[in-house]
Amino acid sequence: MKSILKGAAFGVLATTMMAGSASASELVITFDDLNPAPKAAFEAAVEAFRAANPDIEVTANNGDREAHKNTIRSALQNDAPDVITWYPGNRMAPFVDAGLFMDISDLWASDPNLSQHFEAIKPTMSRDGKQWGVPYSYYQWGVYYRKDIFDKLGLSEPTTWDEMLAACDVMKENGVTPFTIGTKFLWTAAGVFDYLNLRTNGYEVHNALTAGEIKYTDDRIRATFANWETMLERCSFVDNHATMSWQEALAPFANGDAAMYVMGNFAVAGMKDAGLTEEQIDFFQFPEITPGLPRAEEAPADAFFIPANATNVENAKKFLAFVASPEVQAEWNKAIGQLPPNSAAAINEDDKFIVEGMETLSTASGPGPVL
């Protein structure tokens, strides 16, 4: 079967998208990921949208993600594109509250995909009872580890805090740093903290903390920091991590200096690009800390939004509806090694990390907050 993102397979979809479009018009899209797999998937989707909508002149811009985080507010306030990437949940809230994102509840109500197949993720795209964007991908976080190193040291996947600490002791005794991390951009450390707090206090407490309802000086959060101190002492991190991005932190993982990485599934492509085989990499859920606490997981999503002052709103909504289709979601996420938010979209069952990620998230008691 031809790839859905290679033009010819879009026959019926193209007819639908072209209906009612007689004259040439424009659409400007801003994306934020220059990593090879996401960049290629975005470009393929844009080309497929162009093929389905030849009357729309599409300008697609792509840039560095960290730079995008620093410039998005200015972009939304000034010469805004028609579609822009950002994050759901708490991360979209400031822009929603500032009136910088457009309410697209009408699209969620009218589009059959959004109204029927996005129920699980709809709450994180909602604020004040309205919907503000369309997610194109989500993914599990957890602990990725060097299975060959674990096997060599006689270690198995830890399921409890004490088991992980004991495994770290063995690694250090054998000259292996337990964890790699790059904290040049602080969201990687936030991911570790999120898991420590989710496992120490649970989803409700963590959600209240990220919503500003609980202070970081709360005794429950102090307990989380105490566990973090223990982790730093027993499960040490690579040196010089403050100088490294998450991509640069793949090097000590790939060369065997470090055995574990708390990270999202998007990192698997980089691990393979660094020379590791699928047999050398595996995944386990962040271990239990407080016995019996319902397991919650980090499940960040990436989404498209329409700026409040977008010029070509009709075309922007066409693009969001296009991105919401199961065919596009399946192909896009197969390309980047992540999960499609559309429940009708197929997952890549040949990818062991995707299969395990789906199992991890579908059995969790609640989704983790978006980073």
Side-chain angles (χ1 to χ4, degrees):
M1 179 182 292
K2 284 190 175 181
S3 167
I4 192 69
L5 295 183
K6 292 183 180 177
F10 270 110
V12 174
L13 191 57
T15 302
T16 301
M17 294 295 180
M18 289 168 61
S21 298
S23 58
S25 54
E26 297 180 351
L27 176 66
V28 179
I29 306 169
T30 293
F31 195 63
D32 68 337
D33 202 331
L34 293 171
N35 288 296
K39 179 176 181 289
F42 169 66
E43 290 173 351
V46 169
E47 285 305 310
F49 181 78
R50 285 189 176 117
N53 298 271
D55 59 312
I56 299 177
E57 181 180 335
V58 181
T59 300
N61 301 309
N62 195 359
D64 177 74
R65 177 158 288 195
E66 298 304 325
H68 181 69
K69 293 175 183 177
N70 293 325
T71 61
I72 182 173
R73 182 174 288 273
S74 176
L76 293 172
Q77 290 174 326
N78 297 297
D79 188 18
D82 301 307
V83 174
I84 195 167
T85 46
W86 193 242
Y87 312 104
N90 291 331
R91 296 294 298 277
M92 76 178 186
F95 298 130
V96 170
D97 295 346
L100 296 176
F101 282 154
M102 184 175 292
D103 173 9
I104 58 166
S105 303
D106 59 334
L107 181 63
W108 276 77
S110 63
D111 181 78
N113 283 301
L114 290 168
S115 62
Q116 298 175 30
H117 302 304
F118 283 75
E119 285 303 310
I121 204 167
K122 185 176 181 179
T124 198
M125 300 305 311
S126 301
R127 188 167 178 81
D128 302 327
K130 302 173 183 177
Q131 289 71 57
W132 301 91
V134 170
Y136 64 88
S137 183
Y138 77 110
Y139 50 92
Q140 80 276 11
W141 270 58
V143 184
Y144 292 82
Y145 71 99
R146 286 286 303 271
K147 188 177 186 304
D148 52 341
I149 294 176
F150 269 53
D151 290 345
K152 181 180 179 180
L153 299 180
L155 299 173
S156 57
E157 294 181 0
T159 59
T160 68
W161 182 239
D162 288 340
E163 288 175 359
M164 188 173 79
L165 295 177
C168 290
D169 292 340
V170 173
M171 292 176 209
K172 293 171 73 172
E173 289 168 2
N174 287 274
V176 178
T177 301
F179 283 95
T180 189
I181 192 172
T183 59
K184 182 177 181 180
F185 304 107
L186 299 179
W187 58 266
T188 53
V192 177
F193 172 81
D194 284 350
Y195 264 119
L196 287 167
N197 199 38
L198 286 168
R199 296 293 185 263
T200 302
N201 294 306
Y203 175 73
E204 297 301 329
V205 170
H206 189 62
N207 196 45
L209 177 69
T210 59
E213 299 166 4
I214 293 176
K215 294 182 178 181
Y216 280 85
T217 54
D218 185 285
D219 285 344
R220 293 167 291 184
I221 311 306
R222 290 181 184 275
T224 297
F225 282 114
N227 285 330
W228 200 343
E229 183 176 19
T230 299
M231 186 178 182
L232 291 172
E233 292 173 351
R234 297 276 297 276
C235 294
S236 54
F237 291 82
V238 292
D239 294 334
N240 303 318
H241 55 79
T243 67
M244 294 189 291
S245 66
W246 75 263
Q247 295 98 326
E248 292 167 327
L250 290 170
F253 185 81
N255 64 27
D257 289 340
M260 296 180 286
Y261 201 174
V262 180
M263 186 48 63
N265 197 61
F266 56 83
V268 171
M271 294 172 184
K272 292 179 179 178
D273 288 343
L276 295 175
T277 66
E278 197 160 286
E279 289 69 32
Q280 291 177 287
I281 316 165
D282 215 332
F283 168 88
F284 62 85
Q285 297 162 3
F286 198 94
E288 178 184 74
I289 296 179
T290 300
L293 197 67
R295 177 176 58 83
E297 296 291 340
E298 290 275 46
D302 295 310
F304 286 107
F305 297 81
I306 301 177
N309 60 349
T311 302
N312 303 291
V313 175
E314 181 181 351
N315 291 340
K317 289 183 178 180
K318 282 186 180 182
F319 182 75
L320 266 56
F322 178 85
V323 167
S325 71
E327 298 88 354
V328 172
Q329 294 240 325
E331 193 71 20
W332 193 318
N333 285 283
K334 181 178 181 180
I336 64 176
Q338 295 182 186
L339 293 163
N342 186 323
S343 62
I347 68 168
N348 182 8
E349 295 187 355
D350 294 328
D351 186 327
K352 70 176 184 179
F353 299 103
I354 290 299
V355 173
E356 192 163 1
M358 178 62 79
E359 171 66 17
T360 293
L361 298 183
S362 64
T363 58
S365 64
V370 174
L371 290 176

